[in-house]
Amino acid sequence: WWMSDYDLIPLGLESSKLPNDGRYTVHEYAVPSLVSGSQKEWERIALDITDLGRSMKNKTTLFSDMMALQALPLSSFVHSTNVLGYNEKKGILLFEENYSKIMCETIMMFHGAHLSHEAMKKYKNPKFSRAKVYKEITEKISRECKNL
């Protein structure tokens, strides 16, 4: 099973087979913008996150899915870097004016690109609509990287 955030641009993911033998995998290291895993793994993580949430009930007013994953032991899931995020040095490529062949090849090596709040702050005016930026980037990828 796969799940993505609404602000993830799909890129080079073409596999119908789950990676890592179905182990729960977070594809942007510890940011759940793209995750995959078998049904058994999803159930295991859901229980772990629920238990964590209950333990945080009187300690904080905000406890997101990302905070929960980051609070789990590192061995709880597979950490991957298959999503182009704002922490990824290559993340700036998405916001370049034009894409070269090498840039297209690099971008398409990733499963997706996460247009997070932080990415918008870092690379674009945060007042820009993410939907507008998403549309611009997907159109640019379709136009300039279509022959790869």
Side-chain angles (χ1 to χ4, degrees), residues 31-75:
V31 177
S33 61
L34 179 66
V35 294
S36 64
S38 68
Q39 179 176 347
K40 183 179 177 182
E41 284 288 283
W42 276 89
E43 291 169 356
R44 179 183 64 79
I45 289 291
L47 290 172
D48 288 350
I49 288 174
T50 301
D51 289 344
L52 268 171
R54 285 188 185 121
S55 73
M56 298 300 289
K57 184 177 178 181
N58 297 319
K59 296 178 184 173
T60 183
T61 57
L62 175 66
F63 193 65
S64 69
D65 57 343
M66 184 169 72
M67 293 171 176
L69 283 174
Q70 292 171 350
L72 289 174
L74 289 176
S75 60

Side-chain angles (χ1 to χ4, degrees), residues 93 96 98-108 145:
L93 293 177
E96 293 293 326
N98 297 298
Y99 295 160
S100 68
K101 182 180 182 206
I102 292 171
M103 290 167 73
C104 284
E105 289 171 349
T106 301
I107 290 167
M108 297 309 289
C145 302

Side-chain angles (χ1 to χ4, degrees), residues 36 73 75-76 82 93 112 117 132:
S36 64
S75 60
S76 296
N82 295 321
L93 293 177
H117 299 286
K132 180 180 177 187

